[in-house]
Amino acid sequence: MSNQGIKIVFLIVPFLLFSCKKELTDEQNNENLGKKREQYFSYSKKLTGDKEYFSIYKKANDTIANWVSNNLKGYQWKSYPLDSLLCFNKQKNRFYSVILRRCQEKGCVQDYIVDFYGVKIKGEWYFFRGSLLVLPREYYQEDIHTPLSLEKMKKIAVQNVFSGYLIELSSATNSNKVQYKINDSKFINMERINTDGTFGSCYNCKTFDEYVIYMVNKNWKERIESSHIAPTPSPFRVVE
């Protein structure tokens, strides 16, 4: 009997150690994502200055509210929060962020992160949405009928959307001092240049600025053309 008891103890202890290690790893991962988010937020806000940063953020939120109130295609839902993290490029004329869409509809078992872009053209800011990332709740929590928390969605966004905003550089004078630079490729990817030099689904657009104006006007044009048709929610729609 005593030998059998010893065997059971040896089987249980490694399992407990593995469980503790996994919980510790998840906790560390969440902590690292939180630190990375704060780093990105501080860097981007310092780049523009507090006043300008939050002025642009307000303009973006007002624009989303306008889309919702006008029932534009893809926005037939109540206003969802725009993440407070806006990652600006060095020229301060582009940023990317996300809309955190928690699905409250009956039977919904997933939430969404929607790419959101801002581009400054001739002194004016223009905003448009991008692709949509589906978050099946079963991957992140046991209760699939309760929306993911905003904090959890923000961490997922850091891992899947914002990650790579800054590139770590080694200091030439001090090996212990870490420096960073903005990853330009994150903003180049916004342009969606086709092989023939056009942009996205706008085959008449020859510049990125033309493409932005096209994307901004696209939803308004669709609303005018289909204003006689009852709107249909399209949560899986991907904007080109």
Side-chain angles (χ1 to χ4, degrees), residues 1 95 138 144 171 222:
M1 289 292 293
F95 75 79
E138 61 181 320
I144 63 172
S171 173
E222 289 175 348

Side-chain angles (χ1 to χ4, degrees), residues 44-54 92:
S44 189
K45 188 158 59 73
K46 185 178 179 180
L47 188 68
T48 61
D50 285 15
K51 184 177 180 180
E52 184 68 10
Y53 184 99
F54 290 109
K92 297 175 287 187

